[in-house]
Each structure stands twice: as C-alpha cells, then as structure tokens.
Amino acid sequence: MSALSYAAAGLQSIGTPSLWAITIVGVIALLVLDFLVTRRPHEVSLREALGWSAFYIALPLAFGAWVWSRYGRQEGIDYLAGYLVEKSLSVDNLFVFMLLLAAFAVPSELAQRVLLFGITGALVLRGIFIALGAAALQNLDFAFLIFALILLFTAAKLLRDAFTGHEQTVDIGSMRSVRLLRRFMPVVQEYHGTKMTVRVDGRRALTPLALVVVAVLATDVVFAVDSVPAVYGITEDPYLVFATNAFALLGLRALYFVLHAALSRLVHLTYGLAIILAFIGVKLGLHWAHGIWEGVPLIPTEVSLLVIIAVLTVVTFTSLRATRNVVPGAKEVVTERK
C-alpha cells in the first residue's frame, strides 16, 4: 500500500497569478466584445456566424500551441484533450439552449443575446465549481472517487434515456425557476427588445426574455456539475481546467447559428457523451485507486485524447448517416434525438 495522499501532495499548476490575471481579463474583454456586438438586436447571418466561429476556434488552438511550446508536450496534450471534452459537452448544452429558445418562442434577433447571458452564467458557475473542485482535490483524499461516481452516474443516466427513447423536451410550466419568478412578479406576453422588465399600469413586470434567461441559467448549473469533474479527469491543473471551459464556452454564441440545423441531426451524440463520461469516470477511479495501491494501472492522457476523438468521430458519422434522408432542422429529428 502506498502512503501517497493526493490531498497532502497538493495540486501542480502552470497558472501563476499574472497568468490568471491576464486570462481572466482576456475572458472578460471577449465577453464585453460579444455584448457590444449584440447590443443592437439583429438576425445573425451565416457569414457572420462563420466568421466568429472561425475566430473562436483559432483562438483556443493558438492558445494550446502556446501552452505546448511554453510548458511542454504533456501540458499541451492535457489542454487539447480537456478542450475537446468541454467542446463536446457544450454542443449538448447548445441543444438544450435550442429547445429553450423554441419553447419560449424567442425572436431570432434576440437569440444571440439570450445565448450570451447563458454563456456568461455558465462561465461564472464553472469558475465557482472549478475552485470548489480544486479545494476538494487538495483536502479530500477521496475527491477523485467522488468525481468518478458523478461521471459514471451521469453516463448511466444518459444511456438509460437514450435506450428508452426518452425525449429531451422543455415544459415551461414545470420549470421551478419560471414558477418562482411568476409568483413574485407579473409577466407580460410580448417581448420588448432586450428589456428584462417593463412598467405596465404603474407596476413593474417581467418580459419573456427575463424568463428564458433565468431558465438558461438554471440549466447551466446542471451542465457545470457534469463538465467540471469531466475535465478534472483529464488534468488536475485548475488553470487548464478553467482555460478549457472558458474557450469551449466563449464560441457558443456563434457556433449555435452555424450548427442550428445540424444540431438536430446529431441523434447519437448522447451515446457518445455517455461513453466519454464513463471512460473518464473509470480513469478517475483508477487514478484514485493508484494512490492507495501502486499496482493499479493509470490511463495516460494520450490514450484519453485518442478515445475522445474516436468516439466523437464515430457518433458524428453514424448520426449523419442515420439522418441522411431527413431535412435538417425538421421537427421529427429534434424529438427523436437520442
């Protein structure tokens, strides 16, 4: 039995105070830029969405190349694998956003503002969860085991929903966040541009935009619970965990409009995410066990990266093949998504 204690060993990180400061300032600057771009509601053209998507893909790849050259091959691979995991989970996040936008009948010109609020909320929540995760890893020897169980439970739930044909739907009336808001303030039926509240008959009332934003923020909590343990299964460096989450989320606003039609064709994505989360859960479990029994094998990050790429490639191919005769964006594709 090894005397190794992960809590006692502490966490190794490339994140110096100055690097953290520069990164956080950069993320805030990009968010401010996105809010400025969306300050005037307008429908997003494919050309505009492609341009922003290219920018938000090139930026994290360039950052990954810098990490690789500055800190070494292992850190570069950790970052890339973590980024791919977070990006794949964020695509599922986008699908839920799509359902919410449809359920609340959000006008197309306001869609990107709603998405931006969701992305901002997700960044804040994941920052909190990342800090809590780092504290757990430093102070609890069994934190890796807890993370592993969370991921295995999530994977099992995803597989159960997929095999039973459970549909991802949104019932506005049953959402606790919406019911709570309606108990405290009246809600008008019409959207009023980007306004969250309006005055009606001398009384302040919420607009549907406020409801959909709160609903989106509520879903962010669920996704944060899954995504943060998943990326900690790739790297224990809190800075890289934050960087992968930030870069995966920042480009969602533009990516949504690029993939809007294609999202409904990814009918096997849930199977792929379940496999990836289960694999990372096993990896975390082995990592915890290795700290107690040195004979327990570890799964290298290089293997994790290959598994993630292979799974995403296969489910994308099978999804597109399964829906090749279906019109993209058709209603039946959305309701049959697994």
Side-chain angles (χ1 to χ4, degrees):
M1 179 179 291
S2 169
L4 174 63
S5 168
Y6 295 116
L11 296 178
Q12 299 297 318
S13 176
I14 65 172
T16 62
S18 58
L19 186 57
W20 271 105
I22 293 171
T23 303
I24 292 174
V25 170
V27 170
I28 293 174
L30 289 171
L31 283 174
V32 171
L33 176 63
D34 273 351
F35 272 105
L36 290 176
V37 170
T38 61
R39 71 187 186 281
R40 293 183 180 178
H42 66 280
E43 292 191 29
V44 179
S45 66
L46 181 59
R47 181 178 180 180
E48 179 184 351
L50 286 172
W52 281 108
S53 293
F55 171 74
Y56 277 116
I57 290 174
L59 185 62
L61 290 179
F63 180 81
W66 176 78
V67 169
W68 189 308
S69 63
R70 177 67 175 81
Y71 297 101
R73 175 178 177 274
Q74 188 58 53
E75 283 72 16
I77 292 177
D78 287 348
Y79 168 81
L80 181 58
Y83 175 72
L84 285 177
V85 168
E86 290 305 308
K87 203 63 177 177
S88 60
L89 289 172
S90 70
V91 171
D92 200 45
N93 208 152
L94 273 185
F95 188 85
V96 175
F97 286 170
M98 183 174 71
L99 292 178
L100 287 170
L101 292 173
F104 282 93
V106 177
S108 56
E109 64 271 15
L110 294 177
Q112 59 178 339
R113 178 51 67 99
V114 174
L115 292 170
L116 195 51
F117 276 115
I119 292 167
T120 303
L123 278 169
V124 173
L125 286 169
R126 293 190 188 188
I128 294 172
F129 274 77
I130 289 167
L132 292 175
L137 292 177
Q138 286 181 310
N139 296 285
L140 299 175
D141 290 337
F142 53 87
F144 281 111
L145 180 59
I146 295 175
F147 287 178
L149 293 175
I150 291 174
L151 295 181
L152 290 173
F153 173 80
T154 304
K157 182 179 183 301
L158 287 174
L159 282 178
R160 183 198 65 188
D161 292 345
F163 282 120
T164 58
H166 177 74
E167 299 175 358
Q168 275 190 299
T169 57
V170 174
D171 182 0
I172 297 175
S174 67
M175 297 185 71
R176 294 180 181 178
S177 57
V178 173
R179 294 206 309 266
L180 182 63
L181 284 177
R182 284 176 169 166
R183 288 178 60 182
F184 289 97
M185 290 185 70
V187 180
V188 297
Q189 297 297 317
E190 308 83 15
Y191 284 88
H192 292 261
T194 57
K195 293 182 179 179
M196 297 285 189
T197 63
V198 291
R199 189 170 292 278
V200 178
D201 298 329
R203 187 181 179 186
R204 183 65 62 180
L206 296 172
T207 67
L209 182 64
L211 295 185
V212 67
V213 167
V214 170
V216 166
L217 293 177
T219 64
D220 285 338
V221 177
V222 178
F223 282 100
V225 172
D226 297 336
S227 67
V228 172
V231 74
Y232 266 124
I234 301 297
T235 174
E236 300 166 36
D237 187 332
Y239 175 78
L240 290 180
V241 172
F242 176 78
T244 55
N245 272 270
F247 281 124
L249 289 169
L250 282 171
L252 287 190
R253 176 183 64 84
L255 188 63
Y256 173 85
F257 296 99
V258 174
L259 298 181
H260 184 269
L263 280 173
S264 58
R265 294 190 60 187
L266 298 178
V267 293
H268 297 155
L269 178 62
T270 300
Y271 293 107
L273 293 178
I275 293 171
I276 290 172
L277 292 179
F279 173 80
I280 297 175
V282 171
K283 182 177 186 291
L284 278 171
L286 292 174
H287 191 71
W288 167 78
H290 182 79
I292 301 175
W293 303 284
E294 291 184 347
V296 175
L298 295 174
I299 300 177
T301 305
E302 293 86 344
V303 174
S304 301
L305 179 59
L306 291 175
V307 169
I308 293 165
I309 293 174
V311 170
L312 292 177
T313 301
V314 170
V315 297
T316 300
F317 174 78
T318 58
S319 294
L320 297 179
R321 183 176 176 80
T323 58
R324 62 187 182 279
N325 295 323
V326 181
V327 177
K331 182 179 180 180
E332 62 268 24
V333 179
V334 176
T335 58
E336 292 177 1
R337 179 180 180 276
K338 299 184 187 297

